Amino acid sequence: GRKDFCQLRHTFSMIFIVYIIIVLAILFIAETLGLWFLNNVMTIPVNRLEAANWVYQFALLSFIVKILTNPYNAVIIARENMKIYAYVSIVEAFMCCSALKNMKNPEFHYFGTKHFSNLFSHILHGVCLEQWQELLIRKVLICC
């Protein structure tokens, strides 16, 4: 409400850096312990182990993209621009429905489609960056 875009840019940059650190920690743990657990502890048939690994990687990538879009979602809510949410939700719904119709190999199609809808959501957040230049990630020590 103060229209202090310099402080907004600083706060957004700091929050985004914290989210990146969180994502790197999750990625490290998931790619070491998670893959070990998936391949060695879980009882998955040998002929489905490759599919399980692909689903795991898609799910992890989708999870990371969702985490990284949280700061952008907060700004969209703060600016009360709900049109963007409507567009993203409509595209995600159509993509998920099309994935469920194609049931030849459902886990690949569903998680692949969820991944692409998450990437679409991330691209749409990039559109927000073009509208709101104060959301560009800047060096934290240099204010404006």
Side-chain angles (χ1 to χ4, degrees), residues 4-59:
D4 186 4
F5 295 114
C6 185
Q7 183 63 32
L8 175 63
R9 187 179 301 136
H10 179 76
T11 303
F12 184 82
S13 296
M14 287 296 295
I15 289 171
F16 200 76
I17 289 170
V18 169
Y19 271 76
I20 288 174
I21 291 169
I22 291 169
V23 162
L24 290 175
I26 289 171
L27 187 64
F28 177 76
I29 292 169
E31 288 294 333
T32 55
L33 294 176
L35 277 179
W36 171 80
F37 186 80
L38 179 70
N39 291 321
N40 297 321
V41 177
M42 292 186 75
T43 53
I44 299 172
V46 176
N47 61 340
R48 301 302 293 163
L49 193 58
E50 183 182 1
N53 277 297
W54 277 103
V55 168
Y56 180 76
Q57 294 300 325
F58 275 129

Side-chain angles (χ1 to χ4, degrees), residues 9-127:
R9 187 179 301 136
H10 179 76
T11 303
F12 184 82
S13 296
M14 287 296 295
I15 289 171
F16 200 76
I17 289 170
V18 169
Y19 271 76
I20 288 174
I21 291 169
I22 291 169
V23 162
L24 290 175
I26 289 171
L27 187 64
F28 177 76
I29 292 169
E31 288 294 333
T32 55
L33 294 176
L35 277 179
W36 171 80
F37 186 80
L38 179 70
N39 291 321
N40 297 321
V41 177
M42 292 186 75
T43 53
I44 299 172
V46 176
N47 61 340
R48 301 302 293 163
L49 193 58
E50 183 182 1
N53 277 297
W54 277 103
V55 168
Y56 180 76
Q57 294 300 325
F58 275 129
L60 182 61
L61 191 58
S62 294
F63 181 63
I64 287 172
V65 169
K66 281 292 188 188
I67 288 175
L68 289 177
T69 57
N70 280 340
Y72 297 104
N73 289 340
V75 172
I76 291 170
I77 291 171
R79 288 185 171 261
E80 299 177 357
N81 192 349
M82 299 304 162
K83 230 181 345 182
I84 294 172
Y85 273 124
Y87 295 146
V88 170
S89 297
I90 289 169
V91 169
E92 282 183 348
F94 278 121
M95 292 178 86
C96 289
C97 287
S98 70
L100 293 176
K101 282 184 178 180
N102 196 351
M103 294 302 263
K104 183 177 178 184
N105 202 348
E107 64 270 359
F108 282 125
H109 292 290
Y110 179 74
F111 282 106
T113 305
K114 281 300 286 179
H115 171 67
F116 286 120
S117 69
N118 286 341
L119 286 179
F120 173 76
S121 172
H122 200 63
I123 289 169
L124 204 54
H125 287 99
V127 171

